[in-house]
Amino acid sequence: MAIVRPRIIDYHGISATQAQLDFAITFLDEDIPLYVDPFLLWKSPSQQDQSLHTSIINSFNNLNFLVQKGKIDQARDNLILASECQEIGLGLSKKRKGIKISRKKADEILSLFQRITEYGKYGFVHFEEIQFYVDGIAKDRISDICCNFIKSFLIDFTIQQCEQLGIPIDKAVVSGLYDYRKNLFILDKEITLPVNPETKEPLIFVPKRWLKFSPWINFEDYFKDYCPRDEIFNPGEPEERVKVLNFNRENYGIVQEYIKVKERTQDDCKNDPLFKQIPVLSAKRKLGEIQKLPTGKTNEADIKYENYICQLLASLFYPDLDFAAKQSRTESGRLIRDLIFYNNRSIDFLQEIYQDYGNRQLVFELKNVKIIEREHISQLNRYLDSGLGKFGVLVTRNPLSKAMLGNTIDLWSGQRRCIITLTDEDISLMVNIFESKQRSPIDVLKKKYVEFRRACPS
């Protein structure tokens, strides 16, 4: 069965919403655009998290020990191996593939232990500080180094989560596993883990509580509010990053003042959710914009309608339906489905849709037209042919005419395909329920389904 933007739990038919799980659900063919922030482990009240942070810092500072002992090659090799962790699947890659840092970049990082006396004598407390001295060190690199040094813990965590959920695990080769006692990476270690069903590559899960879009300690934040630009740049001179990095190497104390501020304000550092609903006020504004839009394509009204509806429904259906994708092409590339959700089967209605129509995902077709015509229904019906299941939703401005409702009933009678319709009135009702928080807006979708089935012949 075709799955748009497949995730590991969807492939194995496991019903669970992202909100219910402790880990970020892994996509099979692309990265999740979040990163592990080591500061969240440092500030965590959990002794386990604090110990893991200590382990990361000790492992990183061991590079200094190797440098001081003249074992530059070993330090460089360890750092390069730690710089990419593709089993985790965090970042912006569309193919879950990353690139390790170069030997030159590794040497630049290692040189900090020699160029800055304090790091050579005492080591790092927050290794994220390397981004203030070395160009090309971004949040994905910080996250990967962090994950690689505690990969053994993450493997145990992943296996535990798989056992709880029933995700199959199999033997797979992990490219680099850090041995904390020997301070070495073990290459190509065979371990039992969940695997990508297409590539057979191992997958490792990460706790949600460690994830942020950007590390708490980051260069952009430092440059914006703490960097003494007047001391670095002449008036009218371009504010180049390299000049800041060079300045920082000669002014360790300036960076440490920034770090102290970040530690003092640690209570403001929170993990970022994988999905965040829009506020009620925003939902009402978007509804108002939809209601003011004319039907048709005048002044790109159709595009505005699709954007508003996508943003609204993704929030209104959360957490019962996790947003999967918008404007998703079929495998042939000829058809574009407007909006797709994962069917987590978290409530009886969604379980029924899965059992009766085979929907692992739900497709929504958005039509900013005054009157729905036969071709619009046929278009959605063709999407149901592509393997998503036989249940689809048509979102449009007005109720179907008697003839078009008869058309959908005929599809159910002849092919057991179910197409229901959400109108402006239904969207308005969903927003009102979203505001009152007394029930779930998905109850409106269920209501429309029940009404449709009552109209169908028994």
Side-chain angles (χ1 to χ4, degrees):
M1 177 179 288
I3 301 178
V4 176
R5 215 181 180 202
R7 306 178 301 179
I8 184 69
I9 65 168
D10 305 308
Y11 187 89
H12 294 295
I14 293 166
S15 59
T17 66
Q18 177 62 83
Q20 294 171 326
L21 300 180
D22 293 330
F23 64 93
I25 303 174
T26 305
F27 293 119
L28 297 179
D29 56 2
E30 63 181 286
D31 284 345
I32 300 171
L34 282 167
Y35 307 89
V36 171
D37 185 354
F39 194 88
L40 284 169
L41 282 78
W42 179 84
K43 63 152 284 187
S44 170
S46 160
Q47 186 175 2
Q48 174 186 266
D49 288 0
Q50 293 174 17
S51 299
L52 288 169
H53 185 267
T54 301
S55 173
I56 293 166
I57 295 304
N58 287 347
S59 301
F60 191 84
N61 285 333
N62 183 257
L63 300 172
N64 179 36
F65 174 78
L66 294 174
V67 170
Q68 302 299 338
K69 290 291 183 181
K71 298 180 179 180
I72 298 289
D73 290 344
Q74 185 179 339
R76 184 191 302 116
D77 291 345
N78 275 1
L79 185 53
I80 291 173
L81 287 168
S83 65
E84 174 57 31
C85 188
Q86 65 185 27
E87 297 96 343
I88 301 293
L90 300 177
L92 298 174
S93 171
K94 289 292 182 184
K95 297 182 179 178
R96 287 182 62 98
K97 297 287 185 185
I99 300 174
K100 295 184 177 69
I101 60 172
S102 64
R103 290 170 59 89
K104 182 180 178 183
K105 190 62 64 182
D107 286 341
E108 278 188 64
I109 296 171
L110 294 175
S111 71
L112 297 177
F113 291 114
Q114 296 169 314
R115 294 187 60 173
I116 301 175
T117 306
E118 287 80 0
Y119 291 134
K121 289 176 66 176
Y122 309 116
F124 285 84
V125 175
H126 302 284
F127 84 92
E128 309 92 287
E129 294 170 32
I130 59 176
Q131 62 191 301
F132 300 122
Y133 306 103
V134 180
D135 195 20
I137 301 298
K139 51 193 176 185
D140 58 335
R141 201 63 75 189
I142 298 295
S143 175
D144 281 345
I145 293 173
C146 182
C147 290
N148 268 316
F149 281 138
I150 55 172
K151 190 183 286 183
S152 181
F153 168 84
L154 293 174
I155 287 172
D156 291 340
F157 172 78
T158 301
I159 293 172
Q160 180 189 33
Q161 296 297 318
C162 288
E163 289 174 347
Q164 289 178 2
L165 289 172
I167 299 175
I169 53 179
D170 203 351
K171 290 182 178 178
V173 176
V174 174
S175 58
L177 184 64
Y178 193 70
D179 186 327
Y180 184 71
R181 289 172 297 184
K182 297 179 180 177
N183 292 302
L184 284 171
F185 277 98
I186 303 170
L187 301 180
D188 298 336
K189 176 76 172 177
E190 188 175 81
I191 298 175
T192 303
L193 280 169
V195 298
N196 185 319
E198 301 295 332
T199 64
K200 305 303 179 187
E201 293 175 345
L203 305 173
I204 295 177
F205 303 158
V206 177
K208 288 191 300 186
R209 66 180 185 276
W210 296 350
L211 298 179
K212 279 182 70 65
F213 289 112
S214 185
W216 181 244
I217 296 173
N218 68 82
F219 181 87
E220 286 70 24
D221 180 47
Y222 166 77
F223 183 73
K224 179 183 175 186
D225 294 325
Y226 300 93
C227 176
R229 295 186 223 188
D230 293 344
E231 299 179 29
I232 303 173
F233 305 109
N234 295 318
E237 185 182 13
E239 296 184 344
E240 296 174 348
R241 185 187 183 106
V242 173
K243 291 201 71 172
V244 179
L245 301 177
N246 291 333
F247 172 84
N248 290 343
R249 287 176 196 149
E250 304 300 327
N251 294 275
Y252 168 82
I254 299 284
V255 173
Q256 291 311 301
E257 286 302 316
Y258 167 72
I259 298 299
K260 288 177 183 175
V261 170
K262 302 303 283 186
E263 288 184 348
R264 280 201 301 272
T265 56
Q266 59 179 281
D267 289 345
D268 297 331
C269 177
K270 312 286 185 187
N271 66 302
D272 289 317
L274 278 84
F275 178 81
K276 189 174 182 180
Q277 288 177 294
I278 59 175
V280 170
L281 188 58
S282 295
K284 294 177 72 172
R285 283 176 181 161
K286 292 187 190 306
L287 174 64
E289 293 296 328
I290 290 171
Q291 291 171 332
K292 286 188 289 187
L293 281 175
T295 56
K297 299 183 178 180
T298 304
N299 295 327
E300 298 186 333
D302 56 334
I303 296 174
K304 293 176 183 174
Y305 177 75
E306 290 178 4
N307 288 336
Y308 292 144
I309 289 292
C310 285
Q311 293 171 39
L312 260 183
L313 292 187
S315 284
L316 295 178
F317 288 145
Y318 181 83
D320 295 312
L321 291 174
D322 284 325
F323 172 74
K326 67 177 182 178
Q327 294 294 301
S328 165
R329 287 187 178 274
T330 58
E331 289 185 7
S332 68
R334 290 182 291 113
L335 304 177
I336 300 177
R337 297 155 298 200
D338 285 336
L339 183 58
I340 293 178
F341 288 94
Y342 298 105
N343 183 4
N344 300 309
R345 292 171 277 159
S346 56
I347 57 176
D348 57 350
F349 163 59
L350 296 175
Q351 180 67 25
E352 183 178 340
I353 297 301
Y354 174 77
Q355 288 180 340
D356 291 354
Y357 303 100
N359 284 72
R360 290 188 185 184
Q361 296 185 313
L362 270 66
V363 60
F364 288 66
E365 182 65 11
L366 316 180
K367 292 296 179 191
N368 184 42
V369 295
K370 187 175 182 180
I371 300 173
I372 287 292
E373 298 177 350
R374 189 176 299 275
E375 174 54 27
H376 298 137
I377 295 173
S378 298
Q379 185 181 2
L380 177 54
N381 189 34
R382 286 195 292 274
Y383 297 158
L384 305 185
D385 269 332
S386 62
L388 286 173
K390 295 182 178 180
F391 178 92
V393 181
L394 198 57
V395 185
T396 186
R397 308 302 302 272
N398 301 301
L400 298 185
S401 65
K402 188 174 181 180
M404 290 304 102
L405 178 60
N407 190 0
T408 59
I409 291 174
D410 289 344
L411 280 173
W412 189 88
S413 302
Q415 304 176 40
R416 286 297 186 266
R417 296 183 179 218
C418 183
I419 293 178
I420 64 172
T421 308
L422 291 177
T423 65
D424 279 6
E425 185 178 345
D426 299 318
I427 300 296
S428 176
L429 178 58
M430 294 169 76
V431 171
N432 288 335
I433 292 174
F434 182 59
E435 180 183 16
S436 69
K437 301 187 184 303
Q438 298 297 313
R439 301 179 66 179
S440 171
I442 203 170
D443 286 345
V444 176
L445 190 64
K446 180 180 179 180
K447 167 179 167 289
K448 297 290 290 189
Y449 171 66
V450 171
E451 289 174 354
F452 174 78
R453 286 300 310 274
R454 286 175 180 166
C456 294
S458 57

